[in-house]
Amino acid sequence: MSLPLFPEPIATTPRAHPVDEAPSQDVGDASARLARHGWPQLHLDLNQQGCALLPGLLTKAECRQVAALYTQDALFRSRVVMQRHGFGQGEYKYLAYPLPALVHGLRTALYPQLVPLANHWNELMRLETRYPPRHEDFIARCHAAGQQRPTPLLLSYGPGDHNCLHQDLYGEHVFPIQVAVLLSAPGRDFTGGEFVMAEQRPRMQSRVEVVPLQQGDAVAFAVHHRPVQGTRGSYRVQSRHGVSRVRSGHRHTLGLIFHDAT
């Protein structure tokens, strides 16, 4: 297993979180809003491009609500200043358990929509791992293996900040798809700062994808590798993601990673 490009500093105040301790609010609401999206098309986009757009996943008010959490240090388990580690420029914070209700609801409701595709990918890549239907069961698997630190995070970028291409792995158990939600409005709150993906295919040059996002839009994308159909069957491509340089203003993003960290 490759090590993550973004190794984490040790949290100064780790907080234990039993698997069955989770906020009850917003899971049903999140499931209802996700039902409005056409998941067969989203799966097709993920298969063909390695990413898929979920427009309007959060309202503008919800975006402001989530972005405002960034100043509430008690909600977070660690803070990373990217330039100190060569990750780029800017910073991000990992949320602690229990997660804010809206974040927990989205993470819990998105996972079962993505599980069928994740299992299909592993089948095509001849990987034995299969993912359970419920997120809490997958988190229990992570915790039993020592991956007990939550990975949802908020990222903050100012003028000149950027995020180098990377993969969010964090341990042996990795769910192969993750989601990022843009909390700021392009053109009003910031300029630049495009979401970027790069795929490396065997014996080919890298392919780059720039995903245009509006405030409240989410992008689901491959974490590490995914299968691509070739003339002789499926082969694996390596995927990395990042954010281009913010030219002005401030940009906030919510990152939803479905596995926990060691």
Side-chain angles (χ1 to χ4, degrees):
M1 173 65 67
S2 301
L3 293 176
L5 182 63
F6 278 19
E8 300 179 64
I10 299 298
T12 54
T13 55
R15 295 169 60 180
H17 175 66
V19 173
D20 60 352
E21 178 192 338
S24 59
Q25 191 225 347
D26 276 279
V27 179
D29 291 344
S31 297
R33 78 173 68 193
L34 289 177
R36 299 195 296 265
H37 293 274
W39 286 97
Q41 182 61 49
L42 289 169
H43 287 183
L44 182 62
D45 291 343
L46 277 160
N47 265 326
Q48 293 182 343
Q49 306 298 334
C51 61
L53 183 66
L54 288 81
L57 183 63
L58 294 183
T59 66
K60 293 180 180 179
E62 289 169 334
C63 289
R64 291 191 293 269
Q65 172 191 343
V66 176
L69 300 177
Y70 200 80
T71 60
Q72 302 180 39
D73 289 342
L75 297 176
F76 299 90
R77 63 174 180 84
S78 65
R79 171 176 171 263
V80 178
V81 179
M82 287 192 270
Q83 51 265 47
R84 293 178 183 171
H85 307 277
F87 301 160
Q89 187 168 309
E91 63 177 48
Y92 54 93
K93 296 180 180 179
Y94 289 99
L95 286 157
Y97 279 133
L99 299 173
L102 181 58
V103 177
H104 167 76
L106 286 174
R107 195 186 192 207
T108 303
L110 280 163
Y111 173 88
Q113 300 287 353
L114 299 170
V115 160
L117 183 60
N119 284 329
H120 181 58
W121 279 2
N122 279 10
E123 181 181 358
L124 290 176
M125 292 186 291
R126 298 177 176 85
L127 299 175
E128 294 182 359
T129 300
R130 297 294 182 269
Y131 305 97
R134 300 191 311 164
H135 187 242
E136 52 263 44
D137 294 331
F138 178 60
I139 287 295
R141 181 188 298 179
C142 290
H143 287 195
Q147 295 178 217
Q148 298 182 356
R149 296 194 293 167
T151 50
L153 70 163
L154 291 178
L155 302 100
S156 176
Y157 304 87
D161 290 350
H162 65 281
N163 194 336
C164 295
L165 293 172
H166 65 282
Q167 298 169 327
D168 297 310
L169 302 181
Y170 303 128
E172 175 187 0
H173 296 280
V174 174
F175 191 74
I177 304 167
Q178 67 190 71
V179 174
V181 188
L182 182 61
L183 303 176
S184 306
R188 185 191 70 194
D189 298 329
F190 71 97
T191 61
E194 294 87 359
F195 180 87
V196 179
M197 285 188 59
E199 287 191 337
Q200 179 61 59
R201 304 188 180 198
R203 298 175 297 280
M204 298 173 66
Q205 293 185 343
S206 296
R207 182 182 73 92
V208 176
E209 182 86 7
V210 177
V211 182
L213 297 171
Q214 298 298 316
Q215 185 178 31
D217 289 353
V219 56
F221 54 96
V223 172
H224 181 205
H225 50 228
R226 69 180 183 92
V228 170
Q229 185 65 36
T231 57
R232 300 181 179 179
S234 295
Y235 61 92
R236 299 184 195 183
V237 299
Q238 296 283 335
S239 179
R240 297 179 184 273
H241 65 279
V243 172
S244 69
R245 178 170 58 90
V246 173
R247 290 169 174 78
S248 65
H250 287 82
R251 180 190 193 275
H252 286 90
T253 306
L254 168 65
L256 296 170
I257 300 165
F258 297 99
H259 47 274
D260 277 354
T262 52

